[in-house]
Amino acid sequence: DDDGGGTKQKSVCYYYDPRISYVDYGETHEMVPHRVSMTLALIKAYGLLDDMDRLRVAPATEEDLELAHDPEFIRFLRDLTPADYNADAKTQREAAEKYKLGEVWNELTHCVTNDNPVIENLWDYCQRYTGGSLAAARALASGRYKIAINWSGGMHHACKGKAGGFCYVNDIVVAIKALLDGGQFKRVLYLDIDAHHGDGVETAFMEDSRVLTVSFHQFGGEFFPRTGDAVDVGELPAGDDGVCPTLINVPLQAGTRDGRYHQLFGPIVDRVMAVFEPDAVVMQCGADSLAGDRLASLGLSVRGHAKCVSIVKGYGLPLLLLGGGGYTINHVASCWCYETAVAIGKEIPDDIPQHGYQNYYKSQGYKLHYHKEDSSSRKNRDMRSKDKITIDKVMNHLDR
Ligand code: TV1
Ligand code: CA
Ligand code: ZN
């Protein structure tokens, strides 16, 4: 990796735009974009910035976003402002509701929800986080980097013609299409360890044999978005009576922690790699699967979450790491900082350095690897009958 001048060529690059952290979903909303600044501050404090190149890129264009979305939806997003929306022009509100933007009436719960609020600089925000994922994809396609990171991306719920679950546009679909269009990669594996089902990405590539989408997620009860049961597996004919899997879901019960999670993750990823033989991997690393998250109830430790990244890195394929959910923001920053270190291949100490934001980490004793009550993983090591059924279904699906 020596460039001849004695300096090491860096194999990891990252995207960071401070303007993303100024985005405000509203004071009661759970999505806090400031967490990406906390993450970067921690990465910097641990001295990891010198081991990566920073991608400086232009925001995604309308044309880029049309790789994943209907032009009418993109145009509506581009022109949507809180001023117009709040002026209560009835037509504007009705059009917004159609795209799941702003206040939306929910038939199921008979409640108004505002998951995707009409906020200041919405279009700029979409362009920037997608621009980051696109640039990261192009950095991998160039062959110059092994791993590219965009912790502000990973908005897996946005669909072709509508927003969903805090996600306005789907940067992941744009990035995967860019990887495929570059011509270097014939097959792309999408792995999603966010606590929620990666429904938007799944739907986008359901009928595309070049992309296999795999999501691990909390499932059951009213947990959003209620899709992604293990029986929803997809496949396409692959000639000679064979079939090619296009999607895999691994539903998990609330309370699933490191032990049971990893009884599923390693074996499933290993089989997926053998059967699908991808040329590149896009991994959505939503940190709401960590213990103590404000919205989800899985219980991964930071090491357990990062073990997923380290397992995938072990296959040596070009790897795009994206963010996603994560609602206890000190946990999120700890996790994504540690995963950045894993990507680089450096050990970092458990003590959070003084760096200006250190007080955010008081509740975790100023340690990266925080402990949550009830994390006695002994009980969690044995799969429950439901997990056995899940793994059997998934393995069967990959067997044919
Ligand atoms: C405004 C203010 C919006 C407070 C939304 C939690 C809020 C939630 C809020 C919330 C909240 C959801 C649903 C509504 C179906 C809908 C980034 C009838 C305290 C990737 C998206 C979860 C997860 C959406 C995104 C979910 C990701 N949960 N307070 N909204 N219901 N929406 O359940 O996968 O992490 O919670
Ligand atoms: Ca998931
Ligand atoms: Zn989530």
Side-chain angles (χ1 to χ4, degrees):
D1 283 340
D2 200 298
D3 67 2
T7 48
K8 265 216 162 206
Q9 286 266 321
K10 292 159 189 170
S11 64
V12 182
C13 62
Y14 73 99
Y15 170 79
Y16 170 74
D17 186 334
R19 263 159 292 200
I20 286 176
S21 12
Y22 305 152
V23 172
D24 187 354
Y25 276 71
E27 58 182 355
T28 62
H29 203 286
E30 295 289 341
M31 178 56 97
V32 181
H34 172 61
R35 66 207 173 121
V36 300
S37 285
M38 290 170 60
T39 303
L40 190 90
L42 203 51
I43 289 170
K44 188 175 176 196
Y46 272 111
L48 297 173
L49 285 187
D50 293 339
D51 297 311
M52 305 185 282
D53 285 337
R54 178 166 175 191
L55 297 168
R56 291 192 177 274
V57 301
T61 63
E62 278 177 61
E63 200 188 335
D64 294 332
L65 288 160
E66 283 175 18
L67 284 170
H69 299 283
D70 291 332
E72 309 80 71
F73 172 50
I74 291 302
R75 225 135 298 146
F76 189 84
L77 261 181
R78 182 194 65 190
D79 299 334
L80 184 62
T81 66
D84 282 356
Y85 182 80
N86 294 322
D88 213 51
K90 197 162 174 277
T91 49
Q92 177 88 336
R93 286 194 163 245
E94 276 167 6
E97 180 149 12
K98 181 174 89 188
Y99 297 118
K100 293 268 185 279
L101 295 162
E103 291 175 3
V104 173
W105 176 254
N106 188 296
E107 256 320 314
L108 235 77
T109 53
H110 282 260
C111 282
V112 172
T113 54
N114 198 7
D115 277 356
N116 318 305
V118 178
I119 54 177
E120 294 296 343
N121 305 312
L122 177 50
W123 175 242
D124 186 71
Y125 170 54
C126 293
Q127 286 184 293
R128 284 178 197 279
Y129 75 73
T130 308
S133 299
L134 193 52
R138 288 177 179 150
L140 294 176
S142 75
R144 169 76 186 73
Y145 298 98
K146 290 191 175 125
I147 302 182
I149 303 176
N150 175 18
W151 294 129
S152 62
M155 307 309 271
H156 60 177
H157 297 304
C159 293
K160 201 170 198 317
K162 63 179 199 296
F166 317 163
C167 309
Y168 300 96
V169 293
N170 200 315
D171 60 299
I172 309 171
V173 173
V174 172
I176 293 175
K177 293 220 166 148
L179 286 174
L180 292 168
D181 290 349
Q184 294 91 331
F185 308 117
K186 286 204 180 64
R187 281 181 304 281
V188 175
L189 170 65
Y190 173 68
L191 271 175
D192 183 318
I193 61 168
D194 187 287
H196 297 92
H197 176 219
D199 54 355
V201 187
E202 176 182 289
T203 309
F205 297 110
M206 203 169 251
E207 294 186 347
D208 191 334
S209 58
R210 301 170 302 170
V211 182
L212 174 59
T213 61
V214 183
S215 175
F216 292 76
H217 44 263
Q218 184 178 329
F219 183 83
E222 281 167 19
F223 195 70
F224 185 86
R226 300 176 181 226
T227 52
D229 202 349
V231 292
D232 309 337
V233 284
E235 54 194 23
L236 288 173
D240 293 341
D241 290 331
V243 285
C244 150
T246 63
L247 69 96
I248 289 166
N249 284 309
V250 187
L252 305 163
Q253 297 149 78
T256 300
R257 297 191 290 271
D258 291 353
R260 272 197 276 137
Y261 197 98
H262 281 289
Q263 291 216 4
L264 295 161
F265 189 84
I268 289 173
V269 168
D270 202 55
R271 182 71 72 91
V272 161
M273 290 292 184
V275 171
F276 187 64
E277 297 186 277
D279 304 304
V281 183
V282 174
M283 189 165 178
Q284 197 269 22
C285 303
D288 47 4
S289 38
L290 291 171
D293 188 76
R294 290 171 56 87
L295 291 190
S297 317
L298 299 179
L300 290 182
S301 68
V302 168
R303 277 197 188 83
H305 198 276
K307 186 173 168 181
C308 298
V309 174
S310 137
I311 286 172
V312 174
K313 183 191 173 195
Y315 290 88
L317 295 164
L319 176 59
L320 176 47
L321 294 178
L322 301 170
Y327 306 99
T328 305
I329 58 178
N330 49 307
H331 294 170
V332 177
S334 307
C335 180
W336 289 346
C337 172
Y338 185 65
E339 287 173 347
T340 302
V342 167
I344 293 165
K346 259 200 177 166
E347 294 282 337
I348 52 172
D350 195 15
D351 290 307
I352 304 261
Q354 297 285 322
H355 64 296
Y357 289 144
Q358 64 279 353
N359 291 339
Y360 282 65
Y361 302 88
K362 181 170 195 285
S363 68
Q364 55 188 82
Y366 310 100
K367 302 282 187 198
L368 214 48
H369 301 286
Y370 65 90
H371 294 284
K372 276 272 135 198
E373 308 306 312
D374 196 36
S375 70
S376 54
S377 34
R378 172 153 288 287
K379 272 203 308 246
N380 218 260
R381 205 161 318 168
D382 305 314
M383 283 201 262
R384 298 204 189 153
S385 58
K386 269 194 183 173
D387 298 322
K388 292 201 179 99
I389 296 168
T390 298
I391 198 161
D392 284 352
K393 273 187 195 154
V394 170
M395 290 302 188
N396 253 324
H397 180 58
L398 287 166
D399 233 12
R400 291 171 304 142

